[in-house]
């Protein structure tokens, strides 16, 4: 077992056996298949390529004409169902047992990589590996009621050597100020700034998939009219906790589904301008990927060039890490594309030389560890109680003292100081510590009472505060000798400053409110409109936002004060430790005394030991308070961010509806109209032909009887289309208003 340790969590990885990467080939169906040049093996695990010799180059011609490639499977005229069953099903199934998995689609542009990975969203039967993997994950979760399993997803795009979050358009994410970067730590490679989204059901996962697909960059050229111009990595994160076992151990895994952009020969694709630049970046990154694969397949190579490009760096864990790796190479079956087909098959052969070491990823839940330790502590206390009972030590208590016991000790200390109690009976060490602690509490209370009594009768000034003394002398409250001058009846003087708000003659200036016009020719500035929105339609959420922010500031202030107290206790602990070390060294120099095997120490050293233990107790208490405050601050900050986001979102809706929608539509948006705030009436504004809900009803009637599992798929698809249609319409209104 290999152990990887972090600051707060412990990670354990069971060592697995090394295995080679599985490589499959899928041939794109065509009517012009080169039967004479491409032959399949009887076991469907090999491909033979034959090219006739060019007689024009002479009789003596040593150019290679035959190639044979051994693979794990050849998929020719295969359905999407068969492709998934053959390539991906086992990888996804093992992910729920704690094994990482990676499925990568590679090949020439237009060979069918995106169709294989994603499929078509219009037809449920033609869905690809990615939506099927999501379905399989949630089906397997339903079959495991003994485990609490959470699923999260992310969608990364690598375009022209830049990283982009395809789910950044969601309201809960928002635009990022800092660019995303690839970061490595002992737990592996992760993308800093990439949003990860919790999905509790299948439909939510499909919605995220469709949202990301609409944001992908595509272009058209002679080889493919919908060519992907970027590499995309859709990652499914799985975390499983046992509901039945009290074991603090749980497993995690992730599935990387990689859709690579296609390699292309510029003379065939005819790319120009921006598409040409994109093709250059794509070919360059795929070349670096092939270099990394060659290095991984060479057992003598020590250095693997993962950092040459963003693609290989992001896939470092997948290419040579502890995961189940599967490559699916898409090729053409036509004679005109034979050169590119050979190049893709060579890449697949090199990938088969790469070995990985799949292993179960185990982590330990700190909360469960604490509960198990508490149970073990309770059992040990019970055993101690049995031993004490057998030894006639019935008064020994190993539990922390409760409030009643502490109050009783405080009462004993007060009676001892008053003289009504001759001595305090000693029971155990915990009681001794609490007695000394209560002595300190009583002393502190007496000091406060004395100071309070003096302040009632006199005006107290610090003798070292020369500025205060000078001010009092100028006011005639103190003579030259430093004696205070007071009233005959003993009443002290009260000095203070009147608050600014209470001074006469000052009136608060009323704020100038933003006055709406019936229909301004130009929209008002957003800052001005925002103030008006906060006072009217957004007043309630603005009030909640201010209250949450006030609570957050109060918690931050308390945390700052607690931190100062912790620092003060720490300084006092350091001083006490130095004094204790000095006493120990002094005792060692003077000679140590023992009595029946026990070391004898003097009273001063004993008091220092008790003081240090008391300081440590205070330190732990204050530190726990600080941790609780930090948790509250984090929660309050989350509430403040939520309120701020909602306030800005509702303001944008109100601003667009108030100043960009035509006047004849405004009637519908007013109270009592046909729609609620934030929604645009489809029947009045958008000319979509057929209503989206009607489309979905038709899909339910035609598709669902054939595939009942397709409900979540189509429901997510319709919701995504509705959202993007609404956004397009609002953008159209704004552009029309500018014109």
């Amino acid at each position: 077992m290999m152990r990887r340790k972090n600051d707060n969590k412990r990670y354990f990885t069971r060592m697995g056996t090394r295995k080679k990467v599985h490589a499959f080939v899928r041939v794109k169906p065509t009517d012009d298949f080169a039967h004479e040049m491409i032959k399949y093996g009887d076991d469907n695990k090999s491909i033979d390529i034959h090219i006739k010799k060019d007689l024009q180059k002479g009789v003596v011609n040593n150019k290679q004409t035959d190639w044979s490639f051994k693979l794990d499977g050849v998929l020719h005229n295969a359905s999407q169902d068969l492709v998934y069953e053959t390539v991906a099903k086992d990888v996804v199934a093992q992910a729920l047992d704690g094994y990482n998995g990676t499925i990568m689609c590679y090949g020439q542009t237009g060979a069918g990589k995106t169709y294989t990975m994603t499929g078509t969203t219009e037809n449920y039967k033609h869905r690809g590996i990615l939506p099927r993997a999501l379905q399989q994950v949630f089906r397997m979760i339903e079959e495991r009621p003994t485990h609490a399993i959470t699923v999260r997803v992310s969608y990364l795009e690598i375009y022209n050597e830049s990283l982009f979050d395809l789910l950044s358009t969601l309201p809960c994410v928002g635009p990022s100020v800092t660019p995303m970067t690839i970061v490595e730590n002992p737990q592996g490679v992760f993308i800093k700034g990439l949003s990860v989204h919790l999905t509790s059901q299948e439909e939510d996962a499909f919605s995220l998939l469709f949202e990301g697909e609409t944001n992908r960059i595509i272009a058209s050229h002679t080889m493919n009219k919908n060519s992907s111009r970027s590499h995309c990595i859709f990652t499914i994160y799985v975390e499983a906790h046992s509901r039945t076992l009290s074991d603090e151990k749980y497993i995690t895994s992730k599935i990387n589904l990689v859709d690579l952009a296609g390699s292309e020969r510029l003379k065939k694709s005819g790319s120009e301008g921006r598409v040409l630049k994109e093709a250059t970046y794509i070919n360059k990154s795929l070349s670096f990927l092939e270099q990394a694969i060659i290095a991984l397949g060479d057992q003598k190579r020590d250095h693997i060039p993962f950092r040459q490009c963003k693609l290989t760096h992001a896939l470092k864990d997948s290419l040579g890490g502890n995961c189940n790796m599967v490559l699916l190479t898409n090729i053409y079956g036509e004679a005109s594309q034979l050169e590119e087909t050979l190049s893709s098959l060579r890449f697949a052969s090199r990938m088969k030389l790469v070995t990985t070491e799949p292993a179960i990823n185990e982590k330990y839940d700190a909360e469960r560890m604490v509960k198990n330790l508490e149970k073990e502590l309770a059992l040990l206390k019970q055993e101690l109680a049995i031993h004490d009972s057998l030894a006639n030590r019935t008064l020994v208590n190993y539990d922390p003292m409760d409030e009643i016991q502490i109050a009783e000790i405080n009462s004993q200390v007060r009676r001892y100081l008053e003289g009504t109690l001759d001595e305090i009976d000693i029971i155990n060490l915990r009681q001794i510590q609490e007695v000394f602690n209560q002595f300190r509490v009583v002393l502190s209370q007496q000091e406060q009472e004395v100071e309070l009594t003096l302040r009632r009768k006199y005006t107290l000034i610090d003798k070292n505060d020369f500025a205060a003394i000078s001010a009092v002398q100028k006011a005639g409250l103190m003579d030259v000798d430093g004696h205070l001058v007071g009233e005959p009846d003993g009443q002290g003087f009260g000095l203070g400053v009147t608050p600014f708000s209470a001074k006469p003659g000052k009136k608060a200036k009323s704020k100038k409110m933003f006055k709406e016009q019936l229909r301004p020719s130009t929209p008002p500035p957003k800052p001005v409109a925002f103030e008006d929105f906060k006072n009217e339609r957004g007043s309630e959420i603005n009030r909640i936002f201010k209250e949450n922010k006030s609570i957050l500031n109060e918690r931050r202030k308390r945390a700052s004060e607690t931190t100062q107290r912790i620092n003060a206790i720490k300084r006092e602990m350091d001083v006490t430790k130095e004094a204790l070390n000095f006493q120990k060294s002094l005792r060692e120099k003077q000679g140590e005394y023992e009595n029946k095997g026990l070391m004898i120490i003097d009273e001063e050293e004993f008091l220092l030991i008790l003081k240090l233990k008391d300081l440590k107790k205070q330190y732990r208490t204050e530190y726990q308070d600080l941790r609780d405050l930090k948790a509250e601050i984090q929660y309050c900050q989350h509430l403040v961010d939520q309120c701020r986001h909602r306030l800005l979102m509702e303001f944008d809706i109100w601003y667009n509806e108030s100043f960009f929608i035509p006047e004849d539509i405004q009637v519908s948006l007013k109270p009592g109209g046909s729609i609620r705030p934030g929604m645009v009436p489809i029947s009045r504004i958008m000319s979509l032909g057929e209503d989206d809900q009607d489309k979905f009803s038709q899909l339910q009637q035609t598709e669902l009887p054939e595939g009942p599992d397709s409900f979540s798929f189509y429901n997510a698809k319709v919701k995504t289309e509705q959202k993007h249609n609404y956004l397009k319409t609002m953008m159209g209104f704004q552009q029309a208003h500018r014109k």
Side-chain angles (χ1 to χ4, degrees), residues 46-60:
S46 64
I47 295 182
D48 296 329
I49 306 294
H50 171 73
I51 300 178
K52 293 181 180 180
K53 281 192 175 183
D54 189 359
L55 299 178
Q56 295 180 357
K57 295 185 178 181
V59 178
V60 180

Side-chain angles (χ1 to χ4, degrees), residues 509-569:
K509 296 181 178 180
S510 59
K511 295 183 178 180
K512 295 181 179 180
M513 302 298 293
F514 171 69
K515 298 181 179 179
E516 287 193 16
Q517 299 176 1
L518 293 176
R519 188 68 178 181
S521 57
T522 58
K526 278 196 172 184
V528 179
F530 187 58
E531 292 299 322
D532 182 58
F533 172 78
K534 288 192 297 183
N535 293 329
E536 295 181 0
R537 181 163 151 182
S539 60
E540 180 63 19
I541 189 172
N542 187 45
R543 180 188 63 79
I544 298 174
F545 171 72
K546 289 182 177 180
E547 289 180 357
N548 289 339
K549 198 169 183 180
S550 175
I551 295 172
L552 175 62
N553 292 333
E554 188 270 334
R555 294 294 189 275
R556 284 176 173 171
K557 181 180 179 182
R558 285 174 53 188
S560 175
E561 294 172 351
T562 305
T563 304
Q564 293 177 3
R565 289 197 299 270
I566 290 175
N567 292 334
I569 294 172

Side-chain angles (χ1 to χ4, degrees), residues 102-120:
T102 298
I103 302 170
M104 180 187 299
C105 284
Y106 175 89
Q108 179 187 0
T109 180
K113 298 180 300 301
T114 302
Y115 175 76
T116 300
M117 181 58 69
T118 308
T120 60

Side-chain angles (χ1 to χ4, degrees), residues 510-725:
S510 59
K511 295 183 178 180
K512 295 181 179 180
M513 302 298 293
F514 171 69
K515 298 181 179 179
E516 287 193 16
Q517 299 176 1
L518 293 176
R519 188 68 178 181
S521 57
T522 58
K526 278 196 172 184
V528 179
F530 187 58
E531 292 299 322
D532 182 58
F533 172 78
K534 288 192 297 183
N535 293 329
E536 295 181 0
R537 181 163 151 182
S539 60
E540 180 63 19
I541 189 172
N542 187 45
R543 180 188 63 79
I544 298 174
F545 171 72
K546 289 182 177 180
E547 289 180 357
N548 289 339
K549 198 169 183 180
S550 175
I551 295 172
L552 175 62
N553 292 333
E554 188 270 334
R555 294 294 189 275
R556 284 176 173 171
K557 181 180 179 182
R558 285 174 53 188
S560 175
E561 294 172 351
T562 305
T563 304
Q564 293 177 3
R565 289 197 299 270
I566 290 175
N567 292 334
I569 294 172
K570 183 64 172 62
R571 288 192 294 269
E572 190 174 356
M573 286 172 59
D574 294 338
V575 173
T576 306
K577 285 180 181 178
E578 291 181 2
L580 186 59
N581 291 333
F582 176 75
Q583 289 293 327
K584 287 182 179 179
S585 62
L586 190 63
R587 170 165 49 82
E588 291 173 355
K589 291 179 181 178
Q590 294 176 353
E592 299 178 341
Y593 298 93
E594 294 186 359
N595 182 15
K596 296 180 181 181
L598 299 176
M599 187 66 64
I600 299 176
I601 61 176
D602 59 8
E603 182 180 359
E604 186 174 357
E605 186 174 351
F606 178 71
L607 293 176
L608 287 173
I609 293 173
L610 294 180
K611 180 180 179 182
L612 184 59
K613 289 185 177 181
D614 181 61
L615 289 172
K616 288 181 178 179
K617 179 181 178 182
Q618 294 181 36
Y619 183 86
R620 286 192 293 268
T621 302
E622 294 288 350
Y623 186 75
Q624 182 61 41
D625 292 343
L626 182 61
R627 290 184 61 182
D628 295 341
L629 283 171
K630 286 184 176 179
E632 292 182 23
I633 289 172
Q634 186 177 5
Y635 177 71
C636 292
Q637 184 66 56
H638 177 68
L639 293 179
V640 169
D641 293 340
Q642 278 188 330
C643 289
R644 181 186 291 110
H645 177 264
R646 183 179 172 188
L647 185 66
L648 294 175
M649 183 179 66
E650 292 194 1
F651 167 70
D652 285 336
I653 294 173
W654 172 81
Y655 190 79
N656 289 329
E657 291 178 350
S658 300
F659 303 107
F660 290 104
I661 294 179
E663 295 181 6
D664 56 338
I665 305 300
Q666 291 287 341
V667 180
S668 301
L669 297 173
K670 293 180 179 180
S674 61
I675 59 173
R676 63 182 184 274
M679 298 296 293
V680 177
I682 297 176
S683 59
R684 298 188 183 186
I685 298 181
M686 292 188 289
S687 300
L688 300 179
E690 189 177 22
D691 188 79
D692 290 330
Q693 192 62 38
D694 294 336
K695 289 183 181 179
F696 185 54
S697 300
Q698 293 178 9
L699 286 173
Q700 285 181 308
Q701 296 173 4
T702 57
E703 299 290 347
L704 294 188
E706 298 179 6
D709 294 337
S710 63
F711 177 80
S712 299
F713 182 86
Y714 283 120
N715 199 16
K717 176 65 177 174
V718 169
K719 287 182 179 179
T720 305
E721 288 181 350
Q722 286 178 340
K723 173 188 172 184
H724 285 276
N725 286 335

Side-chain angles (χ1 to χ4, degrees), residues 349-403:
S349 298
R350 294 186 181 114
M351 181 64 84
K352 276 184 65 63
L353 299 176
V354 178
T355 59
T356 61
E357 192 171 353
I360 297 177
N361 300 294
E362 295 178 344
K363 295 182 182 180
Y364 282 80
D365 191 336
E367 185 176 351
R368 289 196 178 188
M369 287 181 69
V370 170
K371 290 182 179 179
N372 291 343
L373 290 173
E374 288 176 347
K375 290 181 181 178
E376 185 177 355
L377 181 61
L379 290 174
L380 291 174
K381 286 181 178 180
Q382 291 176 4
E383 291 184 8
L384 279 173
I386 294 174
H387 286 293
D388 291 335
S389 178
L390 295 175
N392 293 323
R393 295 197 300 267
T394 57
L395 296 178
V396 180
N397 185 10
Y398 298 100
D399 292 325
M401 292 189 173
D402 55 23
E403 295 181 358

Side-chain angles (χ1 to χ4, degrees), residues 395-453:
L395 296 178
V396 180
N397 185 10
Y398 298 100
D399 292 325
M401 292 189 173
D402 55 23
E403 295 181 358
I404 297 176
Q405 292 172 325
I406 294 174
E408 176 61 26
I409 293 176
N410 183 277
S411 176
Q412 292 177 359
V413 169
R414 290 184 180 276
R415 284 185 286 149
Y416 178 79
L417 294 174
E418 293 171 356
T420 57
L421 183 65
D422 294 334
E423 59 182 20
I424 300 175
D425 295 331
I426 301 301
I427 300 175
N428 53 32
L429 182 60
R430 193 186 297 273
Q431 186 237 10
I432 294 174
Q433 293 175 339
E434 189 59 40
V435 167
F436 279 100
N437 185 44
Q438 291 305 316
F439 268 112
R440 180 182 288 106
V441 171
V442 172
L443 178 61
S444 176
Q445 290 176 349
Q446 289 179 349
E447 289 178 350
Q448 292 177 2
E449 290 174 358
V450 170
E451 182 178 353
L452 186 62
T453 303

